[in-house]
Amino acid sequence: MADMSPLFRRRPPQDRLVTLIRKPGCHLCDDAQVVIEKVCGDLGVPWEQKDITQDRELHDRYWEQIPVVLVDGEQHTFWRVNEERLRRALTD
């Protein structure tokens, strides 16, 4: 099977998806959401948030890393979101 990564990287930002996995009352989660809203808003990237307290699988996998940011379902970062790094991940 051919290496698909060059094609994958050329996907337009609008075809990407950012997921914020968070929990209620989490200040780091609020901070992460501000960065995600800004970057995704600038680039036209759709994003969603999931509440870790409502999903056992997410809870078991990510509880100690909240907030967690996924890009296209793959873990991008946790705890703190770097605006420039997220922007690069969505445009490279």
Side-chain angles (χ1 to χ4, degrees):
M1 189 161 119
D3 180 12
M4 299 296 284
S5 57
L7 291 173
F8 181 78
R9 281 198 299 269
R10 285 193 205 105
R11 288 174 62 192
Q14 299 82 357
D15 290 348
R16 313 300 295 272
L17 176 64
V18 174
T19 304
L20 171 61
I21 302 170
R22 60 168 301 154
K23 64 183 179 184
C26 164
H27 296 297
L28 281 179
C29 300
D30 294 339
D31 293 345
Q33 184 170 330
V34 168
V35 174
I36 290 167
E37 286 177 342
K38 180 178 193 302
V39 172
C40 289
D42 289 350
L43 298 175
V45 174
W47 73 278
E48 63 183 0
Q49 57 182 321
K50 295 186 177 180
D51 181 345
I52 200 168
T53 65
Q54 304 298 314
D55 186 315
R56 170 56 61 186
E57 183 181 340
L58 292 177
H59 181 281
D60 291 348
R61 186 167 182 184
Y62 296 120
W63 181 255
E64 294 182 359
Q65 298 179 332
I66 288 299
V68 174
V69 178
L70 310 180
V71 174
D72 300 328
E74 298 292 322
Q75 186 166 340
H76 168 73
T77 194
F78 62 97
W79 292 338
R80 298 206 179 272
V81 184
N82 179 283
E83 180 180 338
E84 289 310 312
R85 185 168 173 263
L86 179 59
R87 193 176 297 275
R88 277 196 310 271
L90 294 170
T91 56
D92 283 355

